[in-house]
Amino acid sequence: MKLYTAKLAPNPRRVQLFLAEKGIRDIEVVLLDFGKQEHARSPVCEVAPTPQLPVLELDDGRRLSESRAICSYLESRHPEPNLFGRDGEERAFIEMADRQAEFFLLVHAMNAVRHSHPGFASIEQPQLADFGRTQIDKLRRSAAWYETLLGKQAYVAGDRFTAADITAFCALEFVRGLLKFVPANEGFANLQAYRDRIAERPSAKA
């Protein structure tokens, strides 16, 4: 199998962190350059209405896109360590937490960066500065909710690390690196401590 991915982008990073947490090393990783629009010219990435990454190419030639779908497929092949839930009930709560992290952290983070950062002006056309600012504001409101949640539990889905934490962490790292959005500077001490704890995991360092 081959994983077509890119550096820094949050959705590709979700899959790469998932691979690292699982200890999966038998998948060839092919890096494409988002800045040079290599994904837009690659037929491998034509798996949706617009070219996208990551894409997992299976041994039979089929191509699987969407980060969560790729991770779900990998979990079925490598069930341990478990990241999606040990039974139906836990899976439901982890899926809820993962979708919340995706919609309320990752989507706002991606929109904020794509519409606010000058480095994305050639990629996001038209780049809408006002929209970017609204997304940063929505990200702050979501971060405040997570600040409260993480004052009650260690991880976003409960008491253990799961795929939902990968999504949340990648969202936080994306805006930290490109928009200098640091939870501690926004008054979110619990969220900062959570981010720092995830950053110390071997998968995050890798």
Side-chain angles (χ1 to χ4, degrees):
M1 290 188 288
K2 292 182 180 180
L3 177 67
Y4 293 83
T5 186
K7 291 183 177 179
L8 301 179
N11 279 314
R13 192 175 186 190
R14 287 168 70 186
V15 176
Q16 290 174 286
L17 278 171
F18 194 87
L19 288 173
E21 286 286 338
K22 291 283 188 180
I24 300 171
R25 299 181 179 86
D26 59 351
I27 296 177
E28 180 183 351
V29 175
V30 181
L31 282 174
L32 299 179
D33 192 322
F34 262 135
K36 296 179 180 178
Q37 295 285 290
E38 288 181 349
H39 68 294
R41 299 190 298 271
S42 172
V44 173
C45 299
E46 294 175 355
V47 290
T50 58
Q52 60 179 280
L53 291 172
V55 174
L56 181 66
E57 187 172 68
L58 307 185
D59 291 336
D60 62 8
R62 289 181 297 164
R63 293 164 183 161
L64 186 62
S65 68
E66 304 300 337
S67 300
R68 183 176 172 84
I70 293 171
C71 292
S72 180
Y73 173 78
L74 295 172
E75 175 106 334
S76 72
R77 292 173 60 93
H78 303 270
E80 295 298 332
N82 176 274
L83 295 174
F84 274 111
R86 298 186 181 95
D87 56 32
E89 182 175 304
E90 190 184 32
R91 280 194 298 273
F93 280 94
I94 291 172
E95 181 174 355
M96 177 183 71
D98 191 42
R99 296 294 278 171
Q100 288 173 341
E102 191 169 46
F103 284 126
F104 299 110
L105 286 179
L106 185 57
V107 169
H108 294 326
M110 291 175 64
N111 283 335
V113 169
R114 291 177 72 93
H115 288 276
S116 301
H117 195 281
F120 283 78
S122 62
I123 298 173
E124 192 65 44
Q125 297 183 357
Q127 194 176 46
L128 307 173
D130 287 343
F131 177 67
R133 283 190 288 272
T134 69
Q135 295 301 291
I136 295 171
D137 290 341
K138 288 182 178 181
L139 179 65
R140 286 194 178 96
R141 289 199 290 272
S142 295
W145 186 84
Y146 279 97
E147 173 70 9
T148 300
L149 178 72
L150 292 166
K152 303 173 184 175
Q153 59 193 50
Y155 299 96
V156 296
D159 62 358
R160 73 180 184 96
F161 181 89
T162 68
D165 296 294
I166 292 176
T167 302
F169 177 74
C170 288
L172 293 172
E173 288 299 274
F174 194 50
V175 287
R176 184 182 70 89
L178 292 172
L179 295 183
K180 310 305 179 189
F181 184 95
V182 178
N185 295 344
E186 303 286 335
F188 303 134
N190 293 330
L191 188 58
Q192 183 68 54
Y194 165 81
R195 177 267 160 200
D196 293 344
R197 191 165 70 252
I198 304 298
E200 287 300 311
R201 296 179 73 88
S203 60
K205 291 182 177 180

